[in-house]
Amino acid sequence: IQTLPPIQLAQKYFSLFPSERDPLWQDPCEDKRHKDIWSKEKTCDRFPKLLVIGPQKTGTTALYLFLGMHPDLTSNYPSKETFEEIQFFNGHNYHRGIDWYMEYFPLPSNTSSDYYFEKSANYFDSEVAAQRAAALLPKAKIITILINPADRAYSWYQHQRAHDDPVALKYSFHNVITAGHDAPVKLRVLQNRCLVPGWYAIHLERWLNYYHSSQLLVLDGQMLKTEPASVMDKIQKFLGLNFPFRRFDPKKGFWCQLLEGGKTKCLGKSKGRRYPDMDVESQGFLREYYRDHNIELSKLLYRMGQPLPSWLREELVHTS
Ligand code: A3P
């Protein structure tokens, strides 16, 4: 048999199958043929078994910290660019390949049973993350945290202001969320980042296209603030771990890790910011804006056999 030289062959192949230009990494150990040609030095035990997918501003950093306290769970190494988040499945890092991803996790030891996890809060509403994650980590467990999408939108706006985003500083929250189609592009971009992640049912459906509902746990972010120990118990059951870790102490309006000697270690200043309450007009606007999304979410959670978060029950009372 004669074939073209490799580069021409690749060019020919991708001209015939252009959709395959975008890679979809799979677990090399899932297919014997792939495993056989993979380096003997490498192991498939260096992938996470748990992904915390976000969305942003729902308490994902607190959860990441709490999970890291568990003796059986090991988080990723921090990234220079994106701190505790790897942000592999959603954006350009994906094209750096699976070796790049694996480098974020320690080499597994023979003695301990390592349970790696990572949290990247923008996986939740990414168009591509669910498909990519399921191709590489088909058996992974997935955790999402939901708070009232109106509060999430407001928290994101305040986050942008705290980071001196000129658009967030220039426009009021109400201006941002109610901006029309003819508004300046930058304002529309901020509006989308405030509002779109809150279309919870749409994003969750995308994850459910690729993962079985038993692999997905939906947490109530409101409860993570007020009763973190019971949320952590729920997670332990979901993960099949049984080491209790209740080491939290109330401070600055949140629960914090209790250290030896009675001191507490809380999340930094950037988490749990103090800002004025949302204005009444914005509350009314967002209640209306998210009404259908929240109804869809309640149907979806019912189908998944998962309880409704407290904030969602409250919202549904207001819509009836
Ligand atoms: P606010 O700063 O708007 O109050 P994320 O880590 O996903 O960006 O979420 C940040 C939010 O986590 C904070 O938003 C805060 O409400 C919430 N949170 C939950 N538990 C917390 C804790 N123990 N300490 C600080 N913030 C916590």
Side-chain angles (χ1 to χ4, degrees):
I1 307 172
Q2 259 201 336
T3 63
L4 291 168
I7 292 183
Q8 281 102 313
L9 184 65
Q11 279 162 348
K12 180 85 191 151
Y13 182 86
F14 289 120
S15 72
L16 288 173
F17 305 104
S19 65
E20 294 194 15
R21 273 172 197 273
D22 208 21
L24 190 65
W25 311 123
Q26 283 165 300
D27 183 343
C29 301
E30 290 284 305
D31 185 327
K32 193 179 169 321
R33 292 165 305 174
H34 294 166
K35 199 172 176 212
D36 288 346
I37 57 169
W38 213 33
S39 163
K40 292 274 171 289
E41 317 276 290
K42 290 179 186 167
T43 158
C44 293
D45 295 334
R46 217 176 163 188
F47 289 122
K49 292 190 188 131
L50 165 65
L51 296 181
V52 178
I53 59 172
Q56 287 161 316
K57 308 318 293 171
T58 57
T60 58
T61 315
L63 181 64
Y64 179 79
L65 192 88
F66 297 164
L67 289 172
M69 292 176 198
H70 195 290
D72 294 346
L73 294 173
T74 306
S75 63
N76 55 286
Y77 299 129
S79 150
K80 281 201 199 86
E81 290 157 26
T82 46
F83 312 102
E84 83 268 15
E85 302 200 346
I86 309 180
Q87 302 189 359
F88 177 64
F89 294 109
N90 57 301
H92 67 279
N93 287 335
Y94 187 71
H95 296 101
R96 294 176 160 168
I98 57 174
D99 284 338
W100 181 89
Y101 187 48
M102 279 193 302
E103 288 289 320
Y104 277 94
F105 298 94
L107 269 172
S109 64
N110 292 336
T111 46
S112 64
S113 59
D114 299 293
Y115 201 125
Y116 298 149
F117 72 97
E118 69 126 329
K119 170 291 265 198
S120 295
N122 47 14
Y123 287 167
F124 178 77
D125 51 292
S126 154
E127 295 278 341
V128 287
Q131 185 190 17
R132 289 174 173 180
L136 187 64
L137 313 169
K139 298 193 187 100
K141 305 248 172 160
I142 310 292
I143 293 182
T144 173
I145 315 174
L146 304 181
I147 60 171
N148 190 320
D151 296 335
R152 200 217 72 84
Y154 190 47
S155 176
W156 180 257
Y157 168 79
Q158 293 293 347
H159 174 87
Q160 291 304 91
R161 278 176 74 91
H163 285 263
D164 291 330
D165 172 48
V167 189
L169 291 174
K170 183 170 171 192
Y171 296 97
S172 72
F173 180 61
H174 194 257
N175 286 152
V176 173
I177 56 176
T178 55
H181 292 283
D182 50 352
V185 176
K186 284 184 179 163
L187 181 55
R188 297 276 297 161
V189 170
L190 177 61
Q191 182 185 47
N192 280 340
R193 291 308 306 153
C194 284
L195 297 179
V196 176
W199 304 350
Y200 292 153
I202 291 178
H203 302 303
L204 266 179
E205 285 283 10
R206 201 180 307 110
W207 284 88
L208 287 169
N209 282 338
Y210 296 99
Y211 283 99
H212 189 265
S213 60
S214 61
Q215 288 173 274
L216 225 145
L217 180 66
V218 180
L219 292 179
D220 181 344
Q222 190 54 40
M223 222 166 128
L224 186 68
K225 289 182 192 175
T226 53
E227 298 166 55
S230 73
V231 173
M232 299 317 284
D233 274 347
K234 205 171 163 184
I235 295 177
Q236 289 192 128
K237 282 201 196 87
F238 174 62
L239 299 180
L241 303 173
N242 51 22
F243 192 95
F245 60 120
R246 295 164 185 268
R247 289 192 273 164
F248 308 103
D249 190 29
K251 195 174 166 198
K252 75 166 199 175
F254 286 106
W255 288 54
C256 306
Q257 184 183 0
L258 185 62
L259 301 174
E260 274 174 39
K263 287 196 171 161
T264 48
K265 184 176 165 224
C266 300
L267 260 61
K269 272 209 293 277
S270 70
K271 302 292 168 185
R273 294 190 177 99
R274 303 270 172 214
Y275 42 77
D277 288 345
M278 199 190 302
D279 61 280
V280 179
E281 287 78 29
S282 297
Q283 284 176 27
F285 176 87
L286 289 175
R287 173 154 289 151
E288 201 51 40
Y289 177 88
Y290 282 121
R291 178 196 301 261
D292 291 345
H293 289 287
N294 285 338
I295 292 173
E296 285 311 308
L297 178 66
S298 65
K299 290 185 198 157
L300 183 64
L301 291 175
Y302 183 74
R303 230 172 62 213
M304 291 170 72
Q306 303 222 15
L308 301 193
S310 46
W311 60 262
L312 182 55
R313 263 181 273 128
E314 272 169 38
E315 284 302 309
L316 293 176
V317 170
H318 281 102
T319 54
S320 56

